């Protein structure tokens, strides 16, 4: 009985020991298992960028700084780590207070680094904004310093800025003065060039006048013409349109050997051809430039557009044909050596209108112009100009007609009306020759032959009843040459005593109502040529 009881106690004791050993083994195993779980989440959390939530996953350790990770790997024994974890987490986790193993598993990841795991990402995100803030502050300071300097807060910088501005202002002023000096020098140089050219032309004209052949010249008329020409560079031709006798030629070199652009004197030829071809009438009103023009008003004011219309109506071939009938392009046959034939355009020009208003492409001499205007004055007969060199020539003189122009009395009257209006109230009114019944036409343009300068022309004759009086043709050359100035020279010749004794005074022609009351002093082609040629 006792043996059974002893055996039974011995069995219970053995079971208790075995149970204690098993319990101890379970505790030890649970400790090792917690340490293993603690180490693996720490290694994974070091590579993780997002910190896990402790409440959702208590066994996962959030990312920690390098120093914390190294500290978590240092514990040599799981028991020490477990003790630290339990001690630190005991007051926080009341639910696991009676189970140390559970506390160790739940608290081990959070006890190693409770706070830095949540602060580390904020510190990393705050690093870049801090640098940007520093740069923004530095830029703000620089901007404030710049503004302060601009406001002149820094006296030294303000002085330097003012000094620089002063230097720039002085440099700009000096540049402007230099430009003005250069412009003034260019102007003076141009004036000097023009003055030198004028002096050269005057010298050449005087030299030519000194070489004139005076045989057969009327000394009185020649002296009057010389006085009227004065020191200008030009030529004067005085002849009788009814016979072709030449009374005087001042500067024979220019009168018979030098061609000139006819300028607006070509308008007499244009009007003659248009009237003769019945392409217009004296009363036809042509509107140009917002104003209506008739032949008389256009001739008086030398309107370019009117004669350009007539020229386009005529065409190139008819204009050249009438120019050849007028004696242009061939020698007149005057008994002086070295006469030139002049120039006639051979090909149609680009602008036929300007050919008939400005004389583009033509080159005529003073004796050719005088011969053609003589035919208008005497009714259409083109005479050969002659100089009576001896008393025998005077005794045997006979007019030599060269050609008879198809000039009706009606056409002649229409041309005379326009030419008389030009002298009385038009471009030649400064001549003062209206009292002598002078009919004429001015011309002004840039010369196309010889030196590039201005040329002024005036062709005229006295329209005396029954018999035409003397004819005076003037051509001048130089910077001040104008048709109106040439008409003044002719007016002085007409007023000469010897010339006045040969002419018959007649009442001034009363202009018609369609003639403008105030006519310009210069040809309209003068203004156009200055801008276009």
């Amino acid at each position: 009985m006792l043996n059974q009881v002893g055996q039974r106690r011995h069995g219970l004791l053995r079971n208790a020991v075995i149970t204690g050993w098993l319990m101890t083994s379970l505790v030890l195993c649970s400790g090792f298992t917690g340490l293993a779980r603690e180490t693996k989440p720490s290694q994974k959390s070091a590579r993780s960028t997002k910190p896990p939530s402790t409440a959702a996953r208590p066994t996962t350790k959030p990312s920690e700084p390098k120093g914390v990770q190294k500290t978590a790997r240092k514990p040599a024994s799981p028991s020490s780590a477990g003790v630290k974890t339990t001690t630190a987490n005991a007051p926080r986790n009341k639910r696991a207070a009676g189970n140390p193993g559970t506390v160790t598993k739940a608290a081990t990841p959070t006890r190693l680094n409770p706070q830095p795991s949540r602060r580390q990402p904020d510190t990393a995100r705050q690093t870049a904004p801090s640098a940007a803030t520093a740069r923004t502050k530095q830029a703000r300071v620089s901007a404030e310093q710049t503004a302060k300097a601009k406001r002149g807060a820094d006296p030294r910088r303000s002085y330097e800025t003012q000094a620089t501005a002063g230097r720039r202002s002085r440099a700009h002023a000096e540049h402007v003065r230099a430009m003005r000096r250069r412009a003034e020098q260019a102007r003076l140089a141009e004036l000097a060039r023009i003055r030198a050219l004028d002096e050269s032309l005057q010298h050449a004209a005087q030299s030519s006048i000194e070489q004139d052949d005076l045989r057969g010249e009327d000394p009185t008329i020649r002296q009057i013409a010389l006085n009227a020409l004065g020191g200008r560079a030009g030529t004067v031709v005085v002849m009788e349109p009814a016979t072709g006798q030449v009374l005087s030629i001042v500067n024979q070199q220019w009168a018979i050997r030098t061609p000139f652009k006819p300028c607006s004197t070509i308008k007499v030829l244009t009007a003659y051809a248009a009237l003769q071809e019945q392409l217009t009438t004296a009363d036809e009103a042509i509107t140009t430039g917002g104003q209506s023009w008739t032949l008389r008003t256009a001739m008086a004011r030398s309107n370019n557009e009117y004669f350009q219309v007539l020229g386009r109506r005529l065409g190139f071939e008819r204009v050249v044909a009438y120019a050849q009938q007028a004696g242009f392009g061939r020698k007149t046959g005057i008994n002086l050596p070295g006469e030139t034939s002049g120039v006639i355009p051979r090909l149609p020009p680009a602008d036929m209108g300007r050919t008939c208003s400005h004389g583009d492409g033509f080159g005529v001499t003073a004796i050719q112009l005088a011969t053609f205007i003589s035919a208008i004055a005497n009714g259409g007969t083109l005479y050969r100009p002659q100089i009576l060199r001896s008393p025998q020539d005077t005794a045997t003189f006979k007019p030599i007609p060269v050609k008879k122009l198809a000039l009706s009395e009606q056409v002649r009257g229409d041309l005379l009306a326009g030419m008389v209006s030009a002298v009385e109230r038009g471009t030649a009114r400064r001549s003062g020759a209206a009292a002598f019944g002078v009919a004429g036409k001015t011309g002004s343009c840039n010369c196309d032959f010889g030196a590039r300068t201005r040329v002024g022309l005036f062709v005229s004759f006295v329209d005396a009843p029954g018999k035409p009086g003397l004819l005076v043709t003037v051509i001048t050359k130089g910077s001040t040459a104008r048709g109106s100035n040439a008409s003044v020279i002719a007016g002085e010749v007409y007023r000469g005593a010897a010339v006045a004794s040969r002419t018959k005074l007649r009442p001034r022609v009363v202009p018609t109502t369609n003639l403008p009351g105030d006519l310009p002093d210069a040809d309209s082609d003068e203004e156009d040529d200055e801008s276009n040629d």
Side-chain angles (χ1 to χ4, degrees):
M1 187 73 181
L2 291 174
N3 288 335
Q4 292 179 355
V5 173
Q7 289 178 0
R8 189 174 181 181
R9 290 181 178 177
H10 180 71
L12 293 173
L13 179 61
R14 186 180 55 186
N15 291 337
V17 172
I18 292 172
T19 302
W21 180 82
L22 289 175
M23 292 296 293
T24 303
S25 299
L26 289 174
V27 172
L28 291 176
C29 289
S30 63
F32 282 112
T33 303
L35 179 62
R37 291 180 180 177
E38 176 185 352
T39 304
K40 291 181 180 180
S42 299
Q43 294 177 354
K44 292 182 180 180
S45 61
R47 293 190 296 267
S48 178
T49 56
K50 296 183 180 180
S53 176
T54 306
R57 295 180 181 179
T59 59
T60 304
K61 184 178 181 180
S63 62
E64 300 175 353
K66 292 183 180 181
V68 177
Q69 292 177 0
K70 291 180 181 180
T71 305
R73 294 174 185 174
K74 281 183 180 181
S77 62
S79 60
S80 60
V83 171
K84 292 182 180 179
T85 304
T86 306
T87 307
N89 252 1
R92 293 189 180 183
N93 197 343
K94 297 180 180 179
R95 183 178 181 183
N99 192 351
T102 304
V103 173
T104 302
K105 292 179 181 179
T108 298
T110 58
R111 284 298 296 167
L112 292 176
N113 193 6
Q115 297 301 328
S117 61
R118 289 194 288 270
R119 296 176 181 176
Q120 181 62 25
D122 297 338
T123 305
R125 284 194 295 266
Q126 291 176 359
T127 303
S130 299
T133 304
R135 287 193 298 269
T136 304
K137 184 177 180 180
Q138 184 178 2
R140 188 185 304 110
V141 171
S142 301
E144 291 177 356
Q145 292 178 351
T146 303
K148 184 178 180 181
K150 288 183 178 180
R151 290 194 299 269
D154 188 352
R156 182 177 178 180
R157 186 177 181 87
S158 176
Y159 173 77
E160 293 176 355
T161 304
Q162 293 176 3
T164 303
R167 287 193 297 270
R168 290 179 179 175
S169 177
R170 288 191 295 271
H172 177 70
E174 181 61 27
H175 176 68
V176 171
R177 286 193 293 268
M179 292 182 62
R180 291 177 179 175
R181 284 195 298 268
R182 286 193 295 269
E184 181 65 16
Q185 291 173 359
R187 187 184 69 84
L188 294 177
E190 180 64 16
L191 290 177
R193 186 193 67 80
I194 294 174
R195 188 181 300 108
L197 180 58
D198 288 346
E199 292 177 355
S200 175
L201 290 172
Q202 293 171 5
H203 178 73
Q206 292 299 323
S207 299
S208 298
I209 291 172
E210 292 174 1
Q211 297 175 8
D212 285 347
D213 187 352
L214 302 182
R215 293 177 299 169
E217 290 269 333
D218 187 320
T220 304
I221 295 178
R222 179 176 178 84
Q223 188 60 46
I224 293 174
L226 283 172
N227 294 340
L229 185 62
R232 303 179 185 89
T235 180
V236 179
V237 177
V238 182
M239 63 184 297
E240 291 182 349
T243 61
Q245 179 184 355
V246 178
L247 300 178
S248 178
I249 298 179
V250 178
N251 194 348
Q252 298 171 3
Q253 175 68 29
W254 285 22
I256 66 174
R257 305 182 186 97
T258 304
F260 294 88
K261 184 176 179 179
C263 305
S264 286
T265 58
I266 198 71
K267 293 173 181 176
V268 179
L269 176 66
T270 302
Y272 160 60
L275 290 172
Q276 195 65 34
E277 292 291 325
Q278 298 182 357
L279 297 177
T280 188
T281 62
D283 298 329
E284 180 188 5
I286 298 178
T287 302
T288 60
Q291 186 175 353
S292 296
W293 302 88
T294 63
L295 177 62
R296 183 173 182 177
T297 57
M299 187 77 75
R301 300 189 63 172
S302 192
N303 181 262
N304 293 325
E305 290 77 9
Y306 177 90
F307 291 96
Q308 288 173 5
V309 172
L310 298 184
R312 296 186 184 99
R313 292 179 182 179
L314 286 167
F316 176 73
E317 294 181 358
R318 280 192 284 200
V319 170
V320 171
Y322 275 91
Q324 291 174 344
Q325 291 181 19
F328 296 168
R330 63 181 179 84
K331 298 179 181 180
T332 61
I334 188 172
N335 53 339
L336 282 176
E339 182 184 9
T340 183
S341 59
V343 179
I344 284 183
R346 301 299 180 185
L347 298 175
D351 188 355
M352 192 63 204
R354 278 189 60 88
T355 299
C356 296
S357 62
H358 294 73
D360 291 356
F362 283 96
V364 298
T365 61
I367 196 65
Q368 286 176 333
L369 280 175
T371 303
F372 168 61
I373 297 301
S374 294
I376 302 296
N378 62 36
T381 303
L382 206 65
Y383 288 104
R384 175 183 297 176
Q386 299 180 67
I387 298 178
L388 306 181
R389 295 183 176 275
S390 64
Q392 185 180 357
D393 292 342
T394 304
T396 60
F397 170 72
K398 290 182 179 180
I400 303 176
V402 177
K403 186 181 293 185
K404 181 69 175 179
L405 300 181
L407 180 65
S408 65
E409 189 62 28
Q410 180 65 36
V411 172
R412 180 180 180 273
D414 293 339
L415 293 176
L416 286 178
M419 297 176 71
V420 169
S421 297
V423 176
E424 288 187 340
R425 304 185 64 182
T427 56
R429 69 180 183 273
R430 290 177 53 193
S431 65
F436 302 100
V438 175
K441 182 70 188 77
T442 59
S444 306
C445 63
N446 290 330
C447 185
D448 288 344
F449 303 91
R452 183 72 172 177
T453 184
R454 299 283 300 179
V455 59
L457 307 91
F458 183 63
V459 293
S460 62
F461 61 92
V462 176
D463 182 28
K467 181 182 179 180
L470 295 180
L471 177 145
V472 179
T473 297
V474 180
I475 298 179
T476 59
K477 197 174 183 180
S479 61
T480 60
R482 298 292 188 277
S484 56
N485 297 335
S487 69
V488 173
I489 298 174
E492 294 180 4
V493 174
Y494 286 119
R495 281 191 296 270
V499 176
S501 64
R502 296 171 181 266
T503 61
K504 297 180 181 181
L505 296 176
R506 68 176 178 84
R508 296 180 61 181
V509 177
V510 179
T512 58
T513 56
N514 62 346
L515 186 66
D518 187 14
L519 297 179
D521 181 47
D523 292 344
S524 60
D525 65 323
E526 292 183 14
E527 301 176 358
D528 293 345
D529 278 3
E530 288 181 358
S531 59
N532 298 332
D533 286 353

